[in-house]
């Protein structure tokens, strides 16, 4: 578990660092150092099964206000800076920290592998099918390259992965439950892609 904590933390902190690089392009100077420190504390809370979330919230509130008070003097952008920083922490470290909670479950390592298999197979199917056969845009304002055909192929890939998971890795779980989880993960994953695309487009970033 400790090794896995450091592995997840390394990935999360790279994501947090990239997030602050993105919002720098928007013109909102987030509090990068405070954000990274609070992300580490949040991951530690997840590592201990979320037992210190209330304490983390108090520390985060005081830290972000203090970061603005000590570094800035423009009241008009205070809410923007604090909000963007807090959003980045929760978006990257807050969601990524659930890997630590899953890892602590019985057979958690296998559950994480199955989760990644579902997500990756869906992404691969969506990318290749959408690239070669995609015609109708899914959300042209947010992400002009994503298509309805690619989205449907992605969900199909998620369901195929759900079947694989149910038969070969989690045979003690009913196959219909594996398919339901795969469908939910695939749907949430596509909304997650669109959310990131919205952030990138707002900041003028092509790749992230």
């Amino acid at each position: 578990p400790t090794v896995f904590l450091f592995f997840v933390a390394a990935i999360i902190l790279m994501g947090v660092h990239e997030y602050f690089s993105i919002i720098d392009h928007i013109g909102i100077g987030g509090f990068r150092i405070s954000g990274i420190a609070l992300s580490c504390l949040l991951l530690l809370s997840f590592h201990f099964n979320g037992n210190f979330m209330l304490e983390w919230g108090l520390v985060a509130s005081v830290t972000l206000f203090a970061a603005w008070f000590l570094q800035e003097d423009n009241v008009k952008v205070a809410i923007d800076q604090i909000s963007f920083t807090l959003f980045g922490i929760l978006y990257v470290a807050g969601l990524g920290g659930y890997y630590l909670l899953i890892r602590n479950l019985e057979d958690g390592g296998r559950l994480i592998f199955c989760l990644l298999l579902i997500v990756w197979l869906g992404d691969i199917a969506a990318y290749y099918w959408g690239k070669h056969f995609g015609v109708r845009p899914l959300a042209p304002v947010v992400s002009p390259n994503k298509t309805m055909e690619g989205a449907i192929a992605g969900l199909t890939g998620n369901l195929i992965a759900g079947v694989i998971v149910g038969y070969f890795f989690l045979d003690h779980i009913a196959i219909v439950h594996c398919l339901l989880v795969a469908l939910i993960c695939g749907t949430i994953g596509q909304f997650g892609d669109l959310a990131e695309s919205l952030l990138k487009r707002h900041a003028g970033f092509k790749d992230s």
Side-chain angles (χ1 to χ4, degrees):
T2 303
V3 173
F4 187 70
L5 169 64
F6 281 103
F7 175 70
V8 170
I11 296 174
I12 293 300
L13 292 181
M14 285 190 290
V16 170
H17 175 75
E18 185 174 17
Y19 169 81
F20 282 105
S21 298
I22 290 175
I23 65 172
D24 282 345
H25 276 251
I26 301 175
I28 302 295
F31 306 120
R32 186 186 299 261
I33 302 300
S34 300
I36 291 174
L38 289 171
S39 295
C40 291
L41 290 177
L42 184 56
L43 290 176
L44 280 176
S45 180
F46 274 110
H47 181 64
F48 293 107
N49 290 318
N51 291 329
F52 302 100
M53 288 299 180
L54 291 177
E55 291 84 350
W56 180 87
L58 177 61
V59 171
S61 301
V62 174
T63 300
L64 293 178
F65 177 78
W68 174 83
F69 187 78
L70 295 174
Q71 298 178 32
E72 304 289 343
D73 57 4
N74 189 351
V75 176
K76 292 183 178 180
V77 298
I79 298 299
D80 289 340
Q81 291 177 306
I82 294 173
S83 299
F84 269 78
T85 301
L86 182 60
F87 172 75
I89 297 168
L90 297 178
Y91 179 54
V92 183
L95 294 178
Y98 277 90
Y99 280 109
L100 300 175
L101 293 181
I102 296 173
R103 175 65 177 78
N104 289 338
L105 296 174
E106 182 181 358
D107 214 12
R110 183 174 295 186
L111 289 173
I112 288 176
F113 173 79
C114 292
L115 174 62
L116 294 178
L117 180 64
I118 290 171
V119 173
W120 286 344
L121 192 55
D123 279 352
I124 291 170
Y127 175 78
Y128 282 102
W129 191 269
K131 183 177 181 180
H132 293 95
F133 303 103
V135 177
R136 292 171 294 179
L138 178 64
V141 175
V142 176
S143 182
N145 293 327
K146 289 184 173 60
T147 62
M148 293 289 294
E149 292 80 6
I152 294 171
L155 290 177
T156 303
N158 297 137
L159 293 174
I160 292 173
V163 173
I164 295 172
V165 164
Y167 276 109
F168 295 102
F169 299 102
L170 300 175
D171 53 4
H172 59 288
I173 299 178
I175 191 69
V176 66
H177 292 165
C178 292
L179 289 173
L180 182 60
V181 168
L183 182 62
I184 292 172
C185 288
T187 303
I188 293 174
Q190 294 204 29
F191 277 108
D193 283 344
L194 291 174
E196 186 180 358
S197 295
L198 177 63
L199 181 62
K200 291 189 300 182
R201 180 163 287 271
H202 183 52
F205 258 61
K206 186 179 187 303
D207 297 311
S208 172

